[in-house]
Amino acid sequence: MWEEFDNLEVLQGNPLEKWKDIIFNASRTLSSAELDRLLELQAIYEIILEEHSLDGKLREFYVKLDDDLDLQDRLKHQKSNIAIESMAKILSENE
């Protein structure tokens, strides 16, 4: 069943670059709604960090990120996951 999806162009290549292509080429309404959703989600995370006095941990995370290859890989993986989820949302609403 999944074999039929192996050659789909949207599933090939760098997910972040594909996400940018979709954001830039989707309708302005869909792209705007998705960017608003992502900004809202980031704002929620930042509020939670501040309320739990973890905003200092975020600064520590950024400093640690420069030297920690495992952390860089985890961050890259998470960014790809978010990009894929975002693409799916835009593409499913475009139909």
Side-chain angles (χ1 to χ4, degrees), residues 11-81:
L11 299 178
Q12 297 175 357
N14 181 326
L16 296 175
E17 292 304 314
K18 289 291 185 181
W19 177 76
K20 290 174 190 174
D21 287 342
I22 289 171
I23 287 289
F24 294 145
N25 293 301
S27 76
R28 184 173 175 92
T29 302
L30 288 175
S31 293
S32 179
E34 181 59 7
L35 291 172
D36 284 344
R37 184 187 75 82
L38 292 171
L39 284 174
E40 184 175 286
L41 192 56
Q42 180 178 346
I44 289 168
Y45 290 146
E46 289 182 11
I47 290 169
I48 290 170
L49 287 172
E50 288 172 7
E51 285 185 355
H52 294 279
S53 302
L54 296 173
D55 47 331
K57 294 288 186 187
L58 185 58
R59 285 186 287 280
E60 289 175 24
F61 178 86
Y62 276 118
V63 170
K64 184 179 177 184
L65 187 58
D66 288 337
D67 299 324
D68 191 330
L69 296 178
D70 182 54
L71 194 53
Q72 290 174 15
D73 285 342
R74 289 174 53 202
L75 180 62
K76 183 179 178 181
H77 179 76
Q78 188 61 28
K79 284 171 57 176
S80 292
N81 286 344

